[in-house]
């Protein structure tokens, strides 16, 4: 399968394909090669994690954390996306709290990792954080 890299190629277009044998992974890697914008790095980190390449996902997470420590603004939904892919409950909790503190728009969370956050519902801290971020709504 060939995927074109372009504005219309979003995270779900890429990541939905990952489960189908990983054909979209080269497109995701090429996106990061072209731009290390935090959300694009996060999508690749999520894809790596979902494919079992946890060391690669954690390396991208460390990159985002290092960049933030050096003073670059890091939208909190970027590390959240990787923590979600890794299934890291404590990381998801912390990232959601950072999203609240940063007043991250709910749409940014939905676009980056929204559907995958449902697997963490049932955890009281995550439920409270998501309810605060979504103002009590349950987006689908």
């Amino acid at each position: 399968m060939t995927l074109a890299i372009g504005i219309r190629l979003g995270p779900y277009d890429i990541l939905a394909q990952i489960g189908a044998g990983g054909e979209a992974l080269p497109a995701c890697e090429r996106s990061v090669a072209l731009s290390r914008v935090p959300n694009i790095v996060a999508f690749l980190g999520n894809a790596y994690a979902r494919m079992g390449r946890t060391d690669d996902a954690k390396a991208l997470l460390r990159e985002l954390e290092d960049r933030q420590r050096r003073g670059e603004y890091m939208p909190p939904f970027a590390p959240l996306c990787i923590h979600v892919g890794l299934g890291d409950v404590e990381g998801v909790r912390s990232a959601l709290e950072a999203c609240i503190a940063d007043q991250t728009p709910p749409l940014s969370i939905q676009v980056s990792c929204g559907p995958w956050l449902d697997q963490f519902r049932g955890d009281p801290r995550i439920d409270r954080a998501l309810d605060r971020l979504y103002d009590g709504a349950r987006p689908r």
Side-chain angles (χ1 to χ4, degrees):
M1 170 185 292
T2 302
L3 295 175
I5 306 272
I7 293 174
R8 294 178 187 224
L9 185 61
Y12 298 123
D13 299 323
I14 293 172
L15 296 176
Q17 307 266 338
I18 296 296
E23 296 94 351
L25 191 58
C28 210
E29 291 171 330
R30 175 90 171 117
S31 294
V32 169
L34 294 172
S35 173
R36 296 204 77 84
V37 173
N39 61 320
I40 294 174
V41 172
F43 298 149
L44 179 59
N46 182 289
Y48 280 156
R50 290 168 20 104
M51 292 185 68
R53 293 176 56 178
T54 56
D55 289 343
D56 292 327
K58 289 177 182 179
L60 291 176
L61 184 58
R62 281 191 303 276
E63 174 191 326
L64 295 178
E65 291 166 350
D66 289 344
R67 289 167 59 183
Q68 184 174 23
R69 273 192 293 278
R70 289 192 311 264
E72 182 178 342
Y73 172 72
M74 193 58 53
F77 64 83
L80 173 64
C81 187
I82 298 175
H83 286 297
V84 166
L86 289 167
D88 175 9
V89 174
E90 191 54 45
V92 169
R93 289 175 183 154
S94 296
L96 286 172
E97 289 299 324
C99 287
I100 291 168
D102 196 59
Q103 298 181 335
T104 301
L107 183 59
S108 296
I109 296 166
Q110 276 301 114
V111 168
S112 66
C113 59
W116 296 297
L117 278 169
D118 286 343
Q119 68 184 320
F120 297 95
R121 286 287 189 176
D123 179 281
R125 283 180 54 197
I126 291 173
D127 284 343
R128 280 193 302 275
L130 289 172
D131 287 345
R132 281 187 66 193
L133 286 161
Y134 296 145
D135 198 24
R138 296 273 174 126
R140 297 216 178 260

